[in-house]
Amino acid sequence: MASPELDALTQALARLPGLGPRSARRAVLHLMKRREAALVPLLAALEAVDRRLTECATCGNIDTSDPCGVCADPRRDQRAIAVVEEVSDLWALERSRLFPGRFHVLGGRLSALDGVRPEDLTIDRLVTRVAAGGIDEVVLAMNATLEGQTTAHYIADRLEGLPVRLTQLAHGLPVGGELDWLDDGTLAQALRARRPVS
């Protein structure tokens, strides 16, 4: 029987995506056996992130600085923005290293069933960013779900009339797929084959 503290740690780890109770128990045992090599550095990293974690005021990315590393990078193409649903989607596209521009995180997707309305997302901030000028292309990098495509169409309507080229990821993405779960090859092909929004 584990102590209440170890049991609480196991339960906390089991709530993380991809970990169930058995995996969490194995992780706790590993941390206990390798306290100096694994537990102490993990605690230090968690405390550092907890102290500095913030949301980028420009794009909505989560980082330890504001502006985030992507927005602060002078090598990024400031004239192109990829609009994504969640931070995990931004990180997935960044992992591919194929999109040279900047990002805009919506914080979700439109969903009548879940009660998510346009005002619940950062769509107004996106429109303001684009209307300010200096942006040539907006890539609608929504997930290939019904809600994702509905969100993309809504954003396209909101950006209509602004001097910007709208593109979206190619249809190589599987229907019902989410960017965070795709392999780098599929993401690369989708970015290379993006097309104008009709």
Side-chain angles (χ1 to χ4, degrees):
M1 296 292 288
S3 70
E5 294 83 4
L6 290 176
D7 191 42
L9 176 59
T10 302
Q11 289 179 23
L13 289 176
R15 287 192 290 271
L16 295 174
L19 289 180
R22 289 175 59 184
S23 297
R25 280 193 298 275
R26 283 195 297 271
V28 168
L29 284 172
H30 176 79
L31 291 170
M32 297 305 108
K33 286 181 183 177
R34 304 194 187 284
R35 184 175 182 162
E36 292 302 317
L39 181 61
V40 173
L42 177 63
L43 287 173
L46 287 170
E47 287 173 357
V49 167
D50 184 47
R51 280 193 309 272
R52 301 189 59 205
L53 194 63
T54 187
E55 182 179 298
C56 179
T58 305
C59 74
N61 188 15
I62 296 175
D63 204 341
T64 55
S65 61
D66 184 15
C68 69
V70 174
C71 290
D73 186 349
R75 298 168 297 178
R76 303 299 294 225
D77 181 359
Q78 297 182 33
R79 304 188 75 74
I81 293 178
V83 181
V84 295
E85 294 175 19
E86 301 287 353
V87 172
S88 59
D89 301 327
L90 183 157
W91 290 0
L93 288 172
E94 269 299 279
R95 195 174 57 238
S96 77
R97 294 192 171 116
L98 293 169
F99 182 69
R102 302 202 177 193
F103 292 93
H104 185 90
V105 179
L106 295 172
R109 59 183 167 242
L110 296 175
S111 174
L113 290 175
D114 297 324
V116 180
R117 302 162 305 172
E119 53 269 21
D120 298 324
L121 306 176
T122 62
I123 296 172
D124 287 340
R125 266 183 26 201
L126 171 66
V127 173
T128 301
R129 269 180 93 180
V130 173
I135 296 170
D136 295 332
E137 180 184 14
V138 173
V139 181
L140 299 176
M142 307 300 119
N143 289 313
T145 61
L146 178 61
E147 294 88 356
Q149 295 309 300
T150 300
T151 306
H153 288 298
Y154 179 82
I155 291 171
D157 288 345
R158 289 285 308 272
L159 296 177
E160 190 176 351
L162 293 174
V164 66
R165 182 170 61 112
L166 288 178
T167 58
Q168 66 185 26
L169 296 183
H171 283 284
L173 300 173
V175 174
E178 295 187 10
L179 294 179
D180 191 38
W181 293 95
L182 297 177
D183 65 287
D184 293 346
T186 302
L187 278 172
Q189 182 59 32
L191 276 169
R192 284 190 200 103
R194 62 185 187 263
R195 58 186 174 79
V197 176
S198 49

